[in-house]
Amino acid sequence: MNKTRTTLTAYAMLLPALVLLGVFTLYPVLYNVVLSFSKYTALELGAGKGPSWVGLENYQKVFSDPLYQTGIVNSLKYLVVVPILQIFSLLVAVLVNRSLPAIAFFRAGYYIPVITSISLAAVMWEWVYAKDGMINAALQGLGVLSKTSAFGWLINENTALWAIMFVTFWQGFGYYMVLYLAGLQSIPTELDEAARLDGATKTQVFWKITVPLMKPTLMICSLLSTLAALRVLQEIMVFTGGGPVNSTYTALFYVYSKAFKEFDYGQGAAAGMGVALIGFLLSYVNYRLTRDQQVTG
């Protein structure tokens, strides 16, 4: 009787969260799947009509669209920022995981970009990347660029995507640094001390003890970072709008354009399913790597 009451109490406490999860997560996902197989535009919406079934027509149009293919390629290019971001965040976490004077100030300072709004960051970085901005001035001062060869980093098709990726790196490393710092502080200090007594160097302790014990945190952070890179949208909207020459046109920006500029909700849903499929595949790979690590451990 007591066990039954405990079980019912547990389900009752979970019920509000499950209802919210169903309404705001599960239902939109299922509706998006249905919408991706339907014709539903602003015309049907204005006429008071619902979605009408068209089968795979939306998928055929979206996947054969060169602009969507360009978006997929650019989104995959954006994943380059993931390993760089994770390695840098881990190294900074190791540096600030020490008892030094004013170390809390440095930890807070690294986190400031995380809480900086993308609009404010855009104002700052547009000035940095401008022809008369900080980067060109520094390169001209070092003699790398001449006075006449300065160019706008955000309006050049060869540099625009990489320039936006650096903003993502700048704004994200403080967040992952905090996660890695929490992981580092969960490692028992006795392991480090025992290794030192056995004659291990700092480098050996890092690679043989710290990194293996941090692998679950590395996997979670890598997954979060990968999905964030696939979902990049705000940066594209505020910096370039997909230009120049579609060099920063990502897959999710295509989804946004289809659904909220062209008001073709069916094709927008189909394009979103493509992005979701890529995210699912990457999540599965991460799960298998994490699972193998747990089994091995």
Side-chain angles (χ1 to χ4, degrees):
M1 187 64 183
N2 288 335
K3 185 178 179 181
T4 304
R5 182 179 298 175
T6 301
T7 303
L8 291 175
T9 303
Y11 279 118
M13 296 181 71
L14 285 172
L15 186 60
L18 291 175
V19 170
L20 291 174
L21 188 67
V23 172
F24 294 106
T25 301
L26 186 59
Y27 173 73
V29 170
L30 294 177
Y31 187 71
N32 188 80
V33 173
V34 174
L35 207 57
S36 68
F37 294 100
S38 308
K39 179 177 176 57
Y40 193 48
T41 67
L43 294 177
E44 281 81 16
L45 181 65
K49 298 179 181 177
S52 56
W53 182 264
V54 292
L56 295 173
E57 183 179 321
N58 288 330
Y59 287 95
Q60 291 172 346
K61 289 181 179 178
V62 166
F63 290 137
S64 62
D65 189 344
L67 194 56
Y68 186 64
Q69 295 167 7
T70 299
I72 292 291
V73 171
N74 286 334
S75 291
L76 294 177
K77 283 182 182 177
Y78 216 92
L79 295 177
V80 171
V81 76
V82 174
I84 301 171
L85 178 59
Q86 298 309 311
I87 293 171
F88 188 80
S89 300
L90 177 60
L91 292 178
V92 173
V94 171
L95 289 175
V96 301
N97 187 32
R98 302 178 181 185
S99 299
L100 296 174
I103 194 65
F105 171 79
F106 288 103
R107 291 174 182 171
Y110 289 131
Y111 200 76
I112 287 177
V114 180
I115 58 175
T116 302
S117 72
I118 188 62
S119 301
L120 183 60
V123 173
M124 181 183 74
W125 283 102
E126 281 179 351
W127 174 73
V128 171
Y129 287 138
K131 285 186 177 180
D132 56 349
M134 184 184 296
I135 293 181
N136 283 332
L139 293 177
Q140 288 168 356
L142 293 171
V144 178
L145 287 179
S146 64
K147 295 289 183 182
T148 57
S149 60
F151 63 95
W153 295 78
L154 289 171
I155 59 176
N156 186 297
E157 61 182 279
N158 296 317
T159 59
L161 186 66
W162 303 100
I164 298 175
M165 287 167 62
F166 187 79
V167 176
T168 298
F169 169 83
W170 169 79
Q171 202 164 31
F173 90 87
Y175 174 75
Y176 295 108
M177 180 208 71
V178 170
L179 296 181
Y180 283 129
L181 185 60
L184 287 170
Q185 293 182 346
S186 69
I187 297 176
T189 56
E190 292 82 1
L191 295 176
D192 183 277
E193 293 169 358
R196 296 291 179 87
L197 288 174
D198 288 340
T201 62
K202 288 184 179 180
T203 304
Q204 289 173 325
V205 169
F206 178 77
W207 287 108
K208 300 294 184 182
I209 295 178
T210 303
V211 171
L213 292 176
M214 287 290 291
K215 275 193 175 180
T217 309
L218 280 165
M219 294 300 175
I220 293 172
C221 290
S222 298
L223 175 62
L224 293 175
S225 183
T226 299
L227 296 179
L230 279 178
R231 298 198 311 264
V232 63
L233 177 64
Q234 289 181 322
E235 291 90 335
I236 305 300
M237 292 174 67
V238 299
F239 280 114
T240 61
V245 200
N246 297 329
S247 61
T248 62
Y249 204 101
T250 61
L252 202 64
F253 191 75
Y254 181 92
V255 175
Y256 166 79
S257 299
K258 277 291 177 186
F260 301 109
K261 288 185 175 179
E262 301 177 20
F263 300 105
D264 192 329
Y265 308 115
Q267 289 191 30
M273 291 301 296
V275 178
L277 178 61
I278 296 174
F280 174 79
L281 292 174
L282 293 173
S283 300
Y284 180 73
V285 170
N286 181 79
Y287 166 75
R288 290 304 302 259
L289 290 173
T290 307
R291 181 170 174 268
D292 292 344
Q293 174 63 25
Q294 290 174 346
V295 171
T296 302

